[in-house]
Amino acid sequence: MLTDDRNAYRRSFFEAWQKHLKHLPLEPLEAQLVSVMQAHPEYHALLANEKQFLTQAFEPEENPFMHLSLHLAVREQIQMNRPNGITSLYQQALAKFPQSHAAEHELVETLGRLLWQAQQNGLPPDEDVYLETLREALAQN
């Protein structure tokens, strides 16, 4: 799935969704994609229409593929506890937002802002800033 080709990347979402709809066997990464997509019914019509949405431009904050990708990234971070401490912060989010999807969104939103800021500054994302920003967001909610 690692590619610089936006359309090839998006196609992996469309293909996984179609396999899911047809009850075909999924590869492990496809199963992860489908799990995230199932939690986002607002994207189901889009995912069923590759022809219309494969090449469509989206604003970053409205890009469904970016949003779904951030969920995948956060799930991997939690599973690996990388950056160190993220799993504990996720557990704190779960205490505030008992539904795992809502708790994940706290991390997704923070990660999205951090990545955008790093890109704007031409710097790599700072894990310490990510964790501290997440701590602050959880303290406020």
Side-chain angles (χ1 to χ4, degrees):
M1 194 163 137
L2 294 176
T3 179
D4 289 334
D5 182 338
R6 181 186 76 177
N7 291 351
Y9 184 74
R10 287 182 177 184
R11 203 169 278 116
S12 63
F13 287 84
F14 291 115
E15 290 172 359
W17 189 246
Q18 284 303 308
K19 285 174 80 173
H20 163 70
L21 293 177
K22 295 175 182 174
H23 305 286
L24 297 172
L26 298 169
E27 297 295 325
L29 181 55
E30 291 172 328
Q32 290 176 31
L33 286 171
V34 167
S35 174
V36 171
M37 290 184 276
Q38 286 176 310
H40 289 85
E42 68 275 22
Y43 298 148
H44 292 178
L46 175 145
L47 293 164
N49 194 342
E50 179 178 349
K51 185 175 182 178
Q52 181 179 352
F53 294 107
L54 178 66
T55 60
Q56 180 170 325
F58 295 95
E59 293 296 321
E61 62 276 0
E62 298 172 359
N63 187 328
F65 302 100
M66 179 179 290
H67 184 80
L68 296 170
S69 296
L70 287 170
H71 273 283
L72 286 175
V74 161
R75 288 179 181 190
E76 184 173 325
Q77 289 176 340
I78 294 165
Q79 181 181 15
M80 297 174 55
N81 194 34
R82 179 86 170 103
N84 188 33
I86 194 73
T87 303
S88 174
L89 289 170
Y90 175 66
Q91 294 300 321
Q92 290 176 33
L94 278 173
K96 291 183 177 255
F97 307 98
Q99 293 182 340
S100 62
H101 187 73
E104 247 179 54
H105 264 257
E106 284 295 305
L107 281 70
V108 164
E109 290 172 18
T110 302
L111 179 59
R113 283 192 305 273
L114 176 77
L115 292 173
W116 184 84
Q117 290 170 346
Q119 184 180 29
Q120 296 304 305
N121 296 328
L123 298 170
D126 186 317
E127 290 180 352
D128 293 330
V129 170
Y130 174 41
L131 294 173
E132 184 56 34
T133 304
L134 188 53
R135 279 186 202 95
E136 291 170 5
L138 290 171
Q140 292 176 5
N141 292 329

